Every structure is written in structure tokens, then in C-alpha cells.
Amino acid sequence: MSIKFYGTFQELFLIVDRSGYLGVWSPEDQATKRTFRFNNGAILNWWASSGSLQFQGKLGPREEVEAVIVRMLIKKP
């Protein structure tokens, strides 16, 4: 499934922040890609130019985080 998010980085930042998961945004790649590394091992990559979201990491944590974030993206006002 291809996941897209066409909002701003600030909007994505708030969604991740409100998800309740802890982690850090990587300082590199800011010009073309944003990466959030969750403390549970999941990783979220976002390319603003295409809107593409990609989740990586071990299956359990990745699927858990992906389900929560995608649900929040759908409910985004």
C-alpha cells in the first residue's frame, strides 16, 4: 500500500507528537527527506516533494506505529 501525506512538515510533526510514541527526528536529510526514529525501533521516512510516507523496522513495531499514524492522518482535519 502506498501511503501519501501532502501536508506540511509541521503538520506531520504534530501528528507524530500526538501519537504518543517517543523518538527523535533525524537532523540530516532535511532538504529532501524527513526521518523519525521511534524508540520502539520503527522508522518513518517522508518525502515532501512526492508526499510519500515509508515505514521501516521490525514487523511488530513497524505495523503498530504505521496503524496509529495512518489512522491519525485519515482523521486529520
Side-chain angles (χ1 to χ4, degrees):
M1 167 173 87
S2 179
I3 304 167
K4 299 286 187 175
F5 175 72
Y6 294 107
T8 66
F9 172 69
Q10 184 62 28
E11 290 171 320
L12 182 60
F13 179 94
L14 290 173
I15 288 168
V16 171
D17 187 56
R18 292 175 183 155
S19 73
Y21 290 100
L22 299 176
V24 295
W25 287 97
S26 295
E28 68 276 354
D29 303 323
Q30 293 184 17
T32 58
K33 178 179 88 169
R34 298 291 185 131
T35 300
F36 188 82
R37 296 179 183 280
F38 295 88
N39 286 353
N40 70 358
I43 300 168
L44 166 65
N45 295 307
W46 177 61
W47 291 266
S49 61
S50 66
S52 293
L53 278 174
Q54 175 193 54
F55 292 89
Q56 295 178 302
K58 290 188 177 180
L59 188 60
R62 183 188 77 222
E63 287 182 335
E64 177 186 323
V65 165
E66 183 174 350
V68 170
I69 298 295
V70 169
R71 190 168 41 250
M72 292 179 77
L73 291 173
I74 293 169
K75 290 182 179 180
K76 181 183 159 294

